[in-house]
Amino acid sequence: MNITNIKLWFEMAKKEESLNLFSSLCEKESCTYHTLFLTGMLYEKTGFPQKTLKYYGRALDKNTTVLKSTACNLKDFIYNLVIRYFMDGKKMNMDEVKSLLSDHLKTTNDKIIQTEVEKLYKNFDKDNYIKKTVEL
């Protein structure tokens, strides 16, 4: 079963099955920060704040590791901002955003970064984030 199907299960009120599947995926070494983050969102939606923070923290750790590699791109960085928003509940100003940029992304045009961050925050709806990622 793929991640999209698991998210759909969650939306269809099969929350326990979804959480079990996501949690088992997260135990694998190859688990990505995307999967860890989605698992945290599912735990948040079901009222498990400690597990939520655990998975958000693991997702941020894995994402930060990706950002340190030269293989990372602007999409990985934007995902980092999304994870931080879910953890902290606040949007960052551009100075905070720029301070998080990895060395090889610091050469990216400021206007491009600002545009991407503005697009992210413009219509950001934390309560419906899972549903929107399923629709994509």
Side-chain angles (χ1 to χ4, degrees):
M1 177 164 299
N2 66 34
I3 289 176
T4 301
N5 289 341
I6 298 170
K7 290 188 289 188
L8 286 171
W9 272 24
F10 185 83
E11 288 300 318
M12 295 173 10
K14 295 188 178 193
K15 292 174 176 37
E16 188 173 329
E17 294 95 331
S18 299
L19 282 170
N20 289 338
L21 286 168
F22 266 104
S23 294
S24 68
L25 288 173
C26 291
E27 297 311 313
K28 297 179 179 181
E29 183 65 33
S30 61
C31 182
T32 66
Y33 66 83
H34 301 98
T35 304
L36 290 163
F37 177 62
L38 288 171
T39 304
M41 286 194 305
L42 294 177
Y43 276 115
E44 183 172 2
K45 289 268 190 188
T46 54
F48 293 96
Q50 290 179 317
K51 286 187 177 187
T52 297
L53 290 176
K54 171 187 161 187
Y55 282 101
Y56 285 166
R58 286 181 60 198
L60 191 59
D61 289 345
K62 275 219 178 200
N63 178 268
T64 301
T65 300
V66 169
L67 291 179
K68 291 177 183 175
S69 75
T70 55
C72 96
N73 57 39
L74 195 53
K75 184 177 179 180
D76 293 316
F77 179 72
I78 294 299
Y79 222 102
N80 185 284
L81 298 180
V82 171
I83 296 167
R84 288 174 185 277
Y85 177 78
F86 270 76
M87 288 181 76
D88 302 334
K90 71 177 190 78
K91 298 174 183 176
M92 296 182 160
N93 65 44
M94 282 308 293
D95 288 337
E96 291 171 310
V97 169
K98 288 179 185 178
S99 73
L100 295 172
L101 284 170
S102 58
D103 289 339
H104 72 281
L105 288 178
K106 288 184 179 181
T107 59
T108 307
N109 183 306
D110 284 352
K111 190 69 171 165
I112 292 171
I113 294 170
Q114 184 172 353
T115 300
E116 290 301 315
V117 171
E118 285 173 0
K119 280 195 305 189
L120 168 69
Y121 288 148
K122 183 179 179 184
N123 296 312
F124 198 83
D125 180 2
K126 183 177 177 182
D127 293 331
N128 291 306
Y129 192 79
I130 295 173
K131 187 178 285 187
K132 288 180 180 182
T133 58
V134 169
E135 293 169 355
L136 295 177

